[in-house]
């Protein structure tokens, strides 16, 4: 069958470096770090006492108090990001077929703060089971997809994807494929996460996964730097409007990029560590390139998973060199996690937005916080350290990898007309 073409017509972002799309992009280009000391709870007894939180955000600016009580923070982040994406796309909900409009929304963890609050209240009580009737609906990882569909009346495919830190990249891949196959014309796809809780920080500390650079939080996330000591926990949400090309053209939509390919793979190696040679990453990137009908030398930019973990950065850099060969040294590589921190299940969507904007604006955001080259990493690669880089980008890959060995690469390309 003839596959349909898919384009990006809208985006919304609620992140540690900006509470909307324009702030997010502007601060990425400025190299702003979203890391700061934790104020949401007393973190003085934790190994990590800082994170990349969403700042100056009041849910009551978007929901009335009674309504806000029904949602976990991760769902609030998701609905706010989705609302901006719908507005940014210019979709007229009265003029589209709502049966052909769907929502695929991701979260790696779901309502962690709700779970913590409800169980803590029970433990502190007299043993009488007093739980909120909203406990389960607030906590489950699929509920944001449902809330978004209810909000806009989208009656097409509706579900959640969960693959740890690759979750929202999986959501984008699924939305892309549903539209290509003619199962829908429009999708709101993305993800949100709000794991900045006592249990979230404590759990990742126990894994030795997050930075403990408490004396200098702004430089805690150091992708590809020799002295990196883990990622910085982030939170927020990112939403993209994926639309079938003819549907977008018929309504005169602005097209920011074309979604050209997707690659998915498993490391089949370890619960939390990547394959040391990046075999899963090679497969996901290679499959995305083949899916798009391109060649490795067509890729101009890669927004890496680039978490700032000791093993992950080495494996991904090796994968890029092994897949692209000499062309690897001409690719503008970056890690926006150096600024946003790691948004877990929302990372894939937020970084896909950065990739789309890089194509649309012909500008690659920097990788900040690089101080010392790592001899285990091929430093001939262009990691776009310190400053943004202006360059034309015809095709770019956004990589997202998750605990469990899940790998997703989404390939976007500059829209060049019919």
């Amino acid at each position: 069958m003839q596959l349909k073409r898919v384009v990006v017509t809208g985006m919304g972002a609620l992140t540690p470096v900006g509470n909307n799309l324009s702030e997010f992009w502007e601060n990425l280009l400025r190299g702003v770090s979203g890391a700061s000391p934790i104020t949401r709870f007393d973190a003085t007894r934790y190994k990590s006492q800082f994170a990349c939180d969403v700042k100056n955000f009041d849910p009551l600016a978007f929901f009335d108090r009674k309504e806000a009580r029904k949602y976990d923070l991760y769902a609030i982040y998701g609905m706010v990001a989705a609302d901006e994406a719908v507005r940014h796309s210019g979709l007229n909900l009265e003029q589209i077929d709502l049966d052909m409009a769907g929502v695929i929304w991701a979260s790696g963890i779901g309502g962690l703060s709700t779970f913590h609050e409800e169980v803590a209240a029970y433990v502190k009580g007299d043993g009488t089971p007093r739980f909120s009737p909203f406990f389960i609906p607030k906590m489950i990882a699929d509920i944001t997809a449902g809330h978004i569909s209810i909000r806009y009346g989208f009656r097409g495919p509706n579900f959640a994807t969960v693959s740890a830190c690759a979750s929202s990249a999986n959501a984008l891949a699924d939305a892309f494929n549903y539209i290509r196959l003619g199962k829908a014309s429009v999708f709101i796809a993305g993800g949100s996460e709000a794991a900045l809780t006592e249990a979230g920080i404590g759990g990742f500390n126990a894994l030795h996964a997050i930075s403990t650079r408490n004396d200098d939080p702004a430089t805690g996330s150091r992708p590809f730097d020799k002295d990196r000591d883990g990622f910085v926990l982030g939170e927020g949400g990112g939403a993209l409007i994926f639309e079938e090309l003819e549907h977008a053209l018929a309504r005169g939509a602005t097209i920011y990029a074309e979604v050209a390919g997707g690659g998915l793979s498993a490391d089949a190696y370890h619960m939390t560590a990547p394959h040391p040679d990046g075999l899963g990453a090679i497969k996901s990137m290679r499959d995305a390139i083949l899916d798009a009908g391109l060649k490795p030398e067509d890729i101009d930019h890669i927004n890496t998973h680039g978490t700032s973990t000791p093993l992950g950065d080495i494996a991904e850099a090796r994968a890029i060199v092994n897949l692209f060969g000499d062309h690897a040294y001409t690719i503008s590589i970056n890690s926006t996690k150096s600024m946003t921190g790691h948004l877990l299940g929302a990372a894939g969507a937020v970084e896909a937005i950065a990739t789309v904007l890089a194509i649309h604006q012909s500008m690659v955001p920097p990788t900040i916080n690089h101080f010392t080259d790592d001899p285990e990493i091929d430093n001939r690669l262009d990691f776009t350290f310190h400053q943004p880089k202006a360059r034309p980008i015809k095709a770019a890959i956004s990589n997202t990898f998750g605990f469990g060995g899940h790998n997703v690469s989404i390939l976007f390309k500059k829209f060049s007309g019919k």
Side-chain angles (χ1 to χ4, degrees), residues 99 126 191 246:
D99 287 337
D126 60 6
E246 297 300 330

Side-chain angles (χ1 to χ4, degrees), residues 39-100:
T39 58
R40 198 163 295 169
F41 59 90
D42 182 2
T44 55
R45 297 175 67 181
Y46 289 77
K47 294 177 183 177
S48 298
Q49 299 170 11
F50 66 99
C52 287
D53 60 337
V54 172
K55 300 164 185 65
N56 303 313
F57 176 78
D58 181 5
L60 299 183
F62 301 90
F63 307 93
D64 65 43
R65 191 175 301 278
K66 183 177 180 181
E67 186 181 14
R69 290 180 57 247
K70 300 176 183 178
Y71 308 130
D72 186 88
L73 187 58
Y74 100 93
I76 288 175
Y77 287 163
M79 286 186 280
V80 170
D83 187 60
E84 183 183 23
V86 171
R87 286 186 281 106
H88 186 234
S89 73
L91 276 171
N92 185 332
L93 302 183
E94 296 180 356
Q95 294 180 355
I96 65 172
D97 183 352
L98 297 176
D99 287 337
M100 292 292 286

Side-chain angles (χ1 to χ4, degrees), residues 5-11 88 176 240-245 248 253-260 352-361 393-396 410-417:
R5 292 170 66 185
V6 183
V7 293
V8 179
T9 58
M11 293 165 283
H88 186 234
F176 171 50
L240 295 93
I241 305 298
F242 281 10
E243 196 166 349
E244 192 272 319
L245 175 60
T254 299
I255 294 174
Y256 295 94
E258 182 168 357
V259 194
I353 291 170
T355 306
V356 168
L357 290 172
I359 293 171
H360 187 66
Q361 301 288 344
I393 303 171
K394 293 182 179 179
I410 305 293
L411 193 154
F412 300 94
K413 66 180 184 181
K414 195 170 189 66
F415 178 65
S416 57

Side-chain angles (χ1 to χ4, degrees), residues 337-353:
K337 286 187 181 74
S338 62
M339 296 171 277
T340 66
H342 192 349
L343 274 67
L344 307 181
V350 169
E351 289 156 24
I353 291 170

